[in-house]
Amino acid sequence: MPKLTVDGIEVEVPAGATVLQACEAAGKEIPRFCYHERLSIAGNCRMCLVEVKPGPPKPQASCALPAADKQEIFTTTPMVKKAREGVMEFLLINHPLDCPICDQGGECDLQDQSLAYGRGHSRFHENKRAVTEKYMGPIVKTIMTRCIQCTRCVRFAEEVAGVEEIGAIGRGENMQITTYLEHAATSELSGNVVDLCPVGALTSKPYAFEARPWELTKTPAIDVMDAVGTNIRLDSRGRQVLRALPRLNDDVNEEWASDKTRHAVDGLVRRRLDRPYLRVDGKLQPVRWDEAFAAIAARLNGAGADEVAGLAGDLAEVESVFALKALLAAYGSALHECRVDGADYDVSRPAAYRFNVTIAGVESAKAILLVGTNPRWEAPLVNTRIRKAVKKGAKVYAIGPRVDLTYPVEWLGEDIAVLQNLPDALTGAKGEDAGIAMIVGMGALQLPGAYAAARLAAIEIGASCSLLHTAAGRVGALELGFATEGGVAAIEAQAAKLRALFLLGVDERDLSPFAETFKIYIGTHGDVGASVADVILPGASYAEKPATWVNMEGRVQRAERAVFPPGDAREDWTILRALSAMLGKTLPFDDLMGLRNAIASAYPLVADVGLAEPEAAARVRAAKRVSGAIVYPIDDFYLTNPIARSSPTMQRCSAEILHGQPAEMLEAAE
């Protein structure tokens, strides 16, 4: 490990570290535009100049210079100061003076660093260069005259997203950054280039001219668009969330977020349920809370244990699921289920249904077998981890329909029967040292016997078996035991006996088997569940309540309330608590703290924030030979839940990127 001094401070850095990293280890701030910790080194901007001894008597770019023993680094000498001022002067030659109207204002690296390291005036009086705007799709707005060619966006698209659609054309002063043929960027992670851009050449199109950073209230939250549990920050003004940005968490999402995570927030204020409704003579009529509760109480009067059931949807948090389970238990009912997609797998122990390899652990796998999953759409940030593993030499095999996963894949077939005839490269390397990760998707688990076959195959090749969930609330509900033997089909078989069915945000399942059942829907949007409900109780979205979420790997995370629900909508658990009193089955908690204490007492695994190690899954007996073509669970990445389906931005992304509708047609329609 090299030892060197930075402005007289001795530091020791790992082998392979750069001088810039050594300076940061010494607590010195080094300005930069092109350098980024998670991207390859480009050395474009030359802003990170430092003086190095021994070495040539000139400033050197610290981002591209390896740290070495006995180096002396100087970051504040007159030579360095003058060099940085010169670089900044060159960068600003063609940069437009439009800070007052730039959406990057207040969050701009160029603003901050020109103030700290610039001259304060320019010696250039020539006309500035102008560059035409480039079209990059519904997510990214371009003002390319501001571009300083740092190439962060180019490197991100190639190295992280794996979609090589952004690049440079021209040379010298004529160099321009653009997408291929100026088409929309098709990556599910394209919005991250807005965060990466240091100057405001790439900004968020849906957020354009909406607000300034200092106007916004910033709230830590957890994303619910998939089961990764992306750490985000919700920026709100008044009662509306204006944008969602990723927070740093190396174990989960690093510092990235999918486009759906970022831009589905405009669906939070559209098609919302903001008052209770009761179906009268076949039509839904707005009513007061007490009238809605009275109708439910009349229906449930004298109900028995097998006459009340509940389903929890994809976006149900731990608190509301626990409250619903407690209410059903008050009737003696164990008819509850969260696997509304019909996936069949063991729920007896956490290790049987978690993503056991962990999200960060995927990077260390030497071989990866994907069974019935398209991680690019089901969990884009897991897909980036698989890309990292591939860069380190991992081989990826897949069973399912062919799709572009952005890295080389050996496709073994579309039938689940391939599990009984895996290639020698997988079956020959047994034991923990083999480093094989088997990732099983919900598409495979729709087939009878597929789960047991996958578990058995994993044991035979010495792999860890991990389930890749698509629903944010699924693992949390399973941790609470919100499942029934036989799944939803078992409850559907008893539909004729049911006097009432609670639907906790259930919008992703055909509910026609319960056509004659009295349905009570607690949710946020006028979607599938609300259209068939007999009583609608308006709930709060993930941005409108403090909540506990458990991601696919079993990591417990907490989110805070960013805004309040619209109209008469309330937090789901408070609705169930108030309803229980009307039903004469009063639940034993009155506030959030009391509810969380009750959860912690009954289910310690979800009591503490963080990732708890589950006990080992039970052994699997010999599985029957299974077969059947795999169908992926997501057919439209941008429209997977009621919030996304209510989002104009997500609707436009779906129409243009997935269904090929020209941008001009969409703009004319708007």
Side-chain angles (χ1 to χ4, degrees):
M1 296 177 66
K3 289 184 179 180
L4 60 159
T5 60
V6 179
D7 291 341
I9 302 171
E10 185 173 314
V11 293
E12 186 175 2
V13 294
T18 64
V19 168
L20 188 150
Q21 291 170 322
C23 293
E24 290 185 333
K28 300 295 180 179
E29 180 182 359
I30 303 296
R32 83 292 298 268
F33 292 113
C34 67
Y35 175 81
H36 192 277
E37 293 80 357
R38 302 188 194 276
L39 304 177
S40 62
I41 295 171
N44 290 349
C45 71
R46 319 308 287 181
M47 194 65 202
C48 62
L49 296 172
V50 296
E51 189 176 347
V52 183
K53 294 182 181 180
K58 63 177 183 179
Q60 299 188 58
S62 60
C63 70
L65 183 65
D69 265 329
K70 300 181 180 179
Q71 276 181 332
E72 292 183 71
I73 313 298
F74 302 94
T75 66
T76 57
T77 62
M79 178 195 293
V80 172
K81 184 175 183 294
K82 183 177 180 181
R84 290 176 179 171
E85 289 177 350
V87 169
M88 181 61 70
E89 197 171 358
F90 276 113
L91 289 174
L92 293 174
I93 288 174
N94 288 312
H95 197 80
L97 299 176
D98 58 0
C99 294
I101 62 163
C102 177
D103 275 311
Q104 197 86 340
E107 299 172 318
C108 179
D109 292 346
L110 188 64
Q111 280 184 336
D112 298 339
Q113 293 185 40
S114 62
L115 177 64
Y117 303 101
R119 289 174 57 91
H121 64 279
S122 174
R123 291 171 289 177
F124 287 83
H125 302 289
E126 290 78 6
N127 291 332
K128 291 179 179 288
R129 177 187 73 153
V131 181
T132 57
E133 313 306 353
K134 305 295 187 292
Y135 183 74
M136 289 193 179
I139 297 295
V140 181
K141 178 184 177 183
T142 66
I143 306 91
M144 300 313 292
T145 302
R146 302 172 185 163
C147 180
I148 61 171
Q149 287 90 39
C150 71
T151 68
R152 279 186 179 182
C153 55
V154 177
R155 284 174 284 148
F156 173 84
E158 179 180 349
E159 298 166 12
V160 179
V163 181
E164 300 179 7
E165 295 178 329
I166 304 177
I169 59 174
R171 300 182 66 183
E173 188 180 14
N174 296 320
M175 179 178 174
Q176 299 182 28
I177 304 295
T178 180
T179 52
Y180 180 67
L181 298 181
E182 292 196 37
H183 286 178
T186 60
S187 171
E188 301 77 22
L189 301 168
S190 64
N192 290 287
V193 300
V194 173
D195 291 347
L196 289 172
C197 184
V199 298
L202 305 177
T203 57
S204 171
K205 185 174 287 187
Y207 176 70
F209 309 123
E210 287 289 335
R212 287 299 194 183
W214 53 85
E215 299 177 323
L216 303 175
T217 301
K218 302 169 178 61
T219 308
I222 302 299
D223 174 54
V224 299
M225 297 296 138
D226 55 34
V228 171
T230 301
N231 288 220
I232 59 173
R233 189 189 82 197
L234 296 176
D235 289 358
S236 58
R237 183 179 60 191
R239 301 192 68 168
Q240 183 174 352
V241 175
L242 295 180
R243 65 176 180 177
L245 299 176
R247 289 185 288 132
L248 179 65
N249 189 326
D250 285 330
D251 293 327
V252 182
N253 58 292
E254 299 179 292
E255 59 187 82
W256 315 125
S258 74
D259 290 349
K260 190 163 50 175
T261 297
R262 289 174 177 274
H263 297 294
V265 293
D266 57 357
L268 291 172
V269 294
R270 291 170 173 84
R271 298 174 60 188
R272 287 301 301 270
L273 301 172
D274 59 359
R275 66 185 69 180
Y277 287 86
L278 177 64
R279 193 174 296 276
V280 179
D281 297 329
K283 293 185 178 181
L284 289 170
Q285 305 289 342
V287 294
R288 300 191 308 271
W289 278 102
D290 59 337
E291 294 173 329
F293 285 176
I296 298 171
R299 185 71 179 186
L300 290 178
N301 185 30
D306 58 349
E307 295 179 316
V308 186
L311 301 179
D314 293 351
L315 308 185
E317 83 285 3
V318 167
E319 286 83 358
S320 62
V321 173
F322 179 85
L324 178 55
K325 185 179 181 183
L327 181 58
L328 295 175
Y331 283 95
S333 174
L335 295 175
H336 42 60
E337 184 56 70
C338 63
R339 295 169 292 175
V340 293
D341 56 1
D344 180 23
Y345 47 88
D346 180 17
V347 296
S348 61
R349 299 183 182 182
Y353 55 76
R354 286 186 181 179
F355 193 76
N356 296 302
V357 69
T358 72
I359 294 171
V362 171
E363 296 180 19
S364 304
K366 299 175 184 176
I368 300 170
L369 174 59
L370 304 176
V371 182
T373 179
N374 174 7
R376 182 173 173 183
W377 278 10
E378 295 168 29
L381 297 178
V382 171
N383 206 50
T384 63
R385 303 281 189 166
I386 298 176
R387 275 186 56 80
K388 282 189 175 184
V390 171
K391 287 183 178 180
K392 296 176 183 177
K395 177 78 173 176
V396 179
Y397 304 85
I399 303 173
R402 289 175 178 262
V403 291
D404 178 12
L405 295 178
T406 73
Y407 43 79
V409 179
E410 182 176 331
W411 294 93
L412 305 178
E414 298 186 14
D415 198 295
I416 194 71
V418 176
L419 277 174
Q420 280 93 23
N421 189 27
L422 294 174
D424 294 340
L426 288 171
T427 58
K430 295 184 178 181
E432 294 184 2
D433 293 339
I436 301 174
M438 178 187 286
I439 300 177
V440 184
M442 297 299 108
L445 300 180
Q446 302 292 328
L447 300 172
Y451 177 77
R455 285 282 307 278
L456 186 62
I459 292 171
E460 290 177 348
I461 64 176
S464 63
C465 184
S466 304
L467 301 195
L468 193 150
H469 293 271
T470 57
R474 183 70 47 80
V475 173
L478 292 174
E479 302 279 72
L480 301 182
F482 202 85
T484 299
E485 186 175 354
V488 179
I491 299 178
E492 288 178 347
Q494 302 188 49
K497 299 179 183 179
L498 295 179
R499 294 178 63 174
L501 174 68
F502 286 89
L503 302 172
L504 189 58
V506 179
D507 292 288
E508 313 304 327
R509 185 175 181 85
D510 177 18
L511 296 169
S512 57
F514 301 104
E516 303 302 321
T517 305
F518 186 79
K519 294 174 287 294
I520 304 155
Y521 176 79
I522 304 174
T524 59
H525 287 73
D527 210 278
V528 174
S531 67
V532 300
D534 295 287
V535 177
I536 296 175
L537 305 177
S541 73
Y542 73 103
E544 298 157 0
K545 56 189 172 186
T548 303
W549 301 95
V550 184
N551 75 349
M552 65 170 71
E553 60 185 350
R555 186 181 302 275
V556 180
Q557 303 183 107
R558 292 261 167 85
E560 299 178 15
R561 178 195 290 116
V563 293
F564 287 92
D568 288 336
R570 297 291 184 268
E571 295 175 33
D572 301 17
W573 74 265
T574 63
I575 295 173
L576 291 164
R577 169 61 180 81
L579 176 60
S580 69
M582 175 71 79
L583 298 176
K585 308 284 186 180
T586 305
L587 298 177
F589 43 80
D590 298 317
D591 53 25
L592 182 62
M593 185 60 68
L595 171 59
R596 287 181 171 170
N597 288 339
I599 295 173
S601 176
Y603 303 99
L605 277 179
V606 295
D608 299 322
V609 173
L611 180 60
E613 289 293 330
E615 56 184 303
R619 297 285 295 181
V620 179
R621 298 174 182 173
K624 296 179 180 179
R625 187 169 185 83
V626 298
S627 63
I630 290 172
V631 178
Y632 295 134
I634 295 178
D635 56 9
D636 191 323
F637 169 75
Y638 298 101
L639 305 176
T640 55
N641 59 60
I643 299 173
R645 287 191 287 271
S646 301
S647 164
T649 304
M650 293 297 97
Q651 292 172 9
R652 179 164 180 173
C653 285
S654 174
E656 182 176 350
I657 298 174
L658 298 185
H659 301 291
Q661 295 186 22
E664 297 80 5
M665 183 185 300
L666 295 170
E667 290 173 356
E670 293 175 357

